[in-house]
Amino acid sequence: MKIVVIGGTGLIGSKLVNKLREHGHEAVAASPNSGVNSVTGEGLAEALKGASVVVDVSNSPAWEDAAVLKFFETSTRNLLTHEAAAGIGHHVALSVVGIDQMSESGYFRAKIAQEKLIKEASIPYSIVRATQFFEFVKGIADISMVGDKVHLPPVLFQPMAADDVASAVGTIAAAPPVNGMVEIGGPEQFRIDELVRRRLAALKDPREVIADPKALYSGAKVGLKTLVPDKTARLGETRFETWLTKSAAQTPTRKVG
Ligand SMILES: NC(=O)c1ccc[n+]([C@@H]2O[C@H](COP(=O)([O-])OP(=O)(O)OC[C@H]3O[C@@H](n4cnc5c(N)ncnc54)[C@H](OP(=O)(O)O)[C@@H]3O)[C@@H](O)[C@H]2O)c1
């Protein structure tokens, strides 16, 4: 199958393209770097020619509320219009577990808007809602600073390795559309403040992490289980400690999602 991966040069996209190729698919990594821009429409018609599936794992380069909303709305509208013209039979998009409860956050409002456009369009679809990536745990500290300390609500979360995200998205992309949502998560639950503290310690990052029940997550109030996937979620295999050991030299700078 020809599968076009929008955002195919990103963290998840690059892993996904490799995995799809390993499974014998013709995977095309589409992004501004390869001349395909889902916001302007540049290169889209050409990239989609002869494709069966489009997987959207792109992310906005700008993070202000209005900019991120404009990115996901414009990009998703463009993709769906070009997909209809090209006869694409399956649109797969990567979203985030719990976003319905986090509309106070500009980023999550943009992801909600993206999902809505997909559900209302005519293209058969699968929306994959993932929990936070291990690679993003340091990024959580970066977006949770109050003064010089990290403030996080002591809620549960069930993060997963980007590698497991890419495997799950690849499996879903190669299967028939579910016309609904699939949740994916990691194999273990943690308290978010505790895991961020562990990650910073492993990076020898001296920032103190405060468990603060009033703290927001990415600008939104969250409950104990907002970030935890549902019971039917497909779980990745990689445990945090295994990933940490393997990526000891890694210094991720991932953003929210
Ligand atoms: N971070 C998390 O914990 C988390 C959790 C659940 C879900 N997610 C979701 O996962 C998705 C992927 O995240 P990621 O961390 O893999 O992203 P990323 O590494 O930041 O990669 C973003 C990709 O989007 C591409 N892109 C940017 N502007 C584009 C445009 N106008 N047209 C086409 N492609 C464009 C980039 O291309 P260039 O390289 O050419 O700039 C890059 O390939 C996001 O939608 C996010 O919401 C994230």
Side-chain angles (χ1 to χ4, degrees):
M1 263 199 301
K2 177 174 171 185
I3 303 178
V4 178
V5 180
I6 307 293
T9 53
L11 173 68
I12 301 300
S14 51
K15 291 174 186 292
L16 175 62
V17 165
N18 288 338
K19 286 175 193 290
L20 290 170
R21 287 181 184 155
E22 278 163 24
H23 283 84
H25 297 293
E26 182 195 345
V28 176
S31 79
N33 274 332
S34 65
V36 183
N37 190 319
S38 55
V39 172
T40 63
E42 182 200 349
L44 267 183
E46 188 57 31
L48 264 52
K49 259 188 207 148
S52 308
V53 179
V54 171
V55 184
D56 184 7
V57 287
S58 65
N59 212 349
S60 174
W63 290 80
E64 305 79 45
D65 288 4
V68 73
L69 183 63
K70 193 168 175 212
F71 175 88
F72 279 113
E73 284 192 334
T74 312
S75 170
T76 306
R77 276 200 191 100
N78 267 338
L79 287 174
L80 293 167
T81 305
H82 281 85
E83 287 172 28
I88 300 295
H90 190 186
H91 178 94
V92 181
L94 185 56
S95 190
V96 189
V97 162
I99 56 173
D100 309 300
Q101 296 168 60
M102 297 192 282
S103 59
E104 276 176 300
S105 151
Y107 185 85
F108 294 128
R109 279 199 299 279
K111 295 297 288 184
I112 291 168
Q114 177 190 17
E115 287 192 355
K116 188 164 180 280
L117 287 166
I118 295 166
K119 288 176 201 160
E120 288 171 357
S122 59
I123 316 284
Y125 68 93
S126 304
I127 293 171
V128 185
R129 282 186 169 184
T131 58
Q132 289 63 43
F133 313 153
F134 291 157
E135 286 78 355
F136 174 57
V137 175
K138 178 183 172 285
I140 294 176
D142 298 341
I143 61 161
S144 308
M145 298 301 293
V146 178
D148 60 353
K149 294 187 171 63
V150 179
H151 281 243
L152 280 165
V155 299
L156 297 173
F157 88 147
Q158 201 169 323
M160 64 191 297
D163 214 39
D164 289 343
V165 177
S167 295
V169 173
T171 302
I172 290 160
V178 298
N179 290 314
M181 248 140 21
V182 178
E183 294 206 345
I184 60 175
E188 308 160 283
Q189 269 184 22
F190 303 94
R191 251 178 51 183
I192 192 166
D193 56 306
E194 288 176 354
L195 200 75
V196 170
R197 200 174 289 117
R198 266 168 75 182
R199 179 69 181 126
L200 294 187
L203 291 168
K204 302 198 183 344
D205 183 324
R207 284 178 290 174
E208 190 181 342
V209 179
I210 310 285
D212 173 0
K214 291 209 176 89
L216 305 177
Y217 174 74
S218 181
K221 271 193 229 76
V222 286
L224 185 65
K225 293 190 169 176
T226 305
L227 302 175
V228 170
D230 63 31
K231 286 197 170 63
T232 62
R234 303 183 193 180
L235 303 185
E237 286 180 356
T238 313
R239 300 173 76 85
F240 183 70
E241 207 54 47
T242 312
W243 175 84
L244 200 58
T245 310
K246 274 194 192 154
S247 61
Q250 215 173 321
T251 50
T253 54
R254 302 254 60 87
K255 298 149 289 194
V256 70

